[in-house]
Amino acid sequence: MIARGELTVVGTGIRCGSDLGAAARRAILDADEVFFLAPGPLERSVFLALRPDATSLAGLYGAGVDREVTYAAMVERVLERVRAGARVCFAVPGHPGVYAQPTHDAVRRARAEGLAAMMLPALSAADHLYADLGVDPGESGSYSFDATDFVAYGRRADPSVALVLWQISVIGDLQNPVEVNRRGLAVLADILLETYPASHDVVVYEAARYALCDPVVEHCRLDALRHASVSPFATLYVPPATIAELVPERLVRLGLLSELPSSA
Ligand SMILES: C[S@@+](CC[C@H](N)C(=O)[O-])C[C@H]1O[C@@H](n2cnc3c(N)ncnc32)[C@H](O)[C@@H]1O
């Protein structure tokens, strides 16, 4: 009988080692072949201790290469082994489905080709952010955007809603990043200043990647954001600046108010 390949996409979480869930670990150990991306050398070593024969895809991130080209090459490397009949695991940092294009592409392509493919959930940077900053996305609502998308598509922030912006170190950078794009950060800051006051306190956040380390929680005024120290792992948290107003007409529709207040 010809072996039927299958793909399992997993996330290793943010904190090295301890974020890896039981199901993802099992998938990594049980696969015939494993491909992985790790955010740094320590994470890479820890991953290889679990699966010494795993193949890193980091070499595909060539400087000056379009990210789309790199992602397509990753998907192709993974899928050619699935097509050949292997049970393949593709492991990436964080949650594999959160701000992670090649993982979704790999699952979609595999399924389109009639191959079995699944994605397991994992801890993302947002999960750490809510815990470390003590904020609940349900309290004021929460918008979440890739920072380049936020700028390029003219998305509008609502000052009464928390805003989480990802990939703030590479705003407007469509190639594999070499350094922080400060021009992009300045453009983002200018756009946010159209909605929030200059003195608004924002947070450049980096979840701790290693046990015993603290998260980086850098508060700064919005008008100083362009000069803030930003690592490739930084996410921006913009807390609400105003309180949302109740809409009496909707309260009536919900039965929470018997009638509209008479206007003064
Ligand atoms: C390509 S996305 C990957 C996100 C990942 N799949 C996840 O679930 O968190 C990379 C972005 O995730 C965020 N990120 C990754 N590691 C982080 C960390 N340690 N702390 C805060 N944000 C992080 C940053 O916004 C970074 O630019």
Side-chain angles (χ1 to χ4, degrees), residues 14 93-95 98-100 124-125 166-167 205-207 209 232-235:
I14 300 294
H95 184 303
V98 174
Y99 294 85
S124 77
W166 300 66
Q167 310 208 92
Y205 168 74
E206 189 178 330
R209 288 159 54 208
F233 301 102
T235 295

Side-chain angles (χ1 to χ4, degrees), residues 179-190:
E179 56 190 21
V180 172
N181 186 344
R182 303 222 67 98
R183 175 182 174 175
L185 191 61
V187 174
L188 173 68
D190 284 342

Side-chain angles (χ1 to χ4, degrees), residues 5 13 31 50 55 86 95 117 134 141 148 161 167:
L50 190 62
T55 303
H95 184 303
T148 299
V161 175
Q167 310 208 92

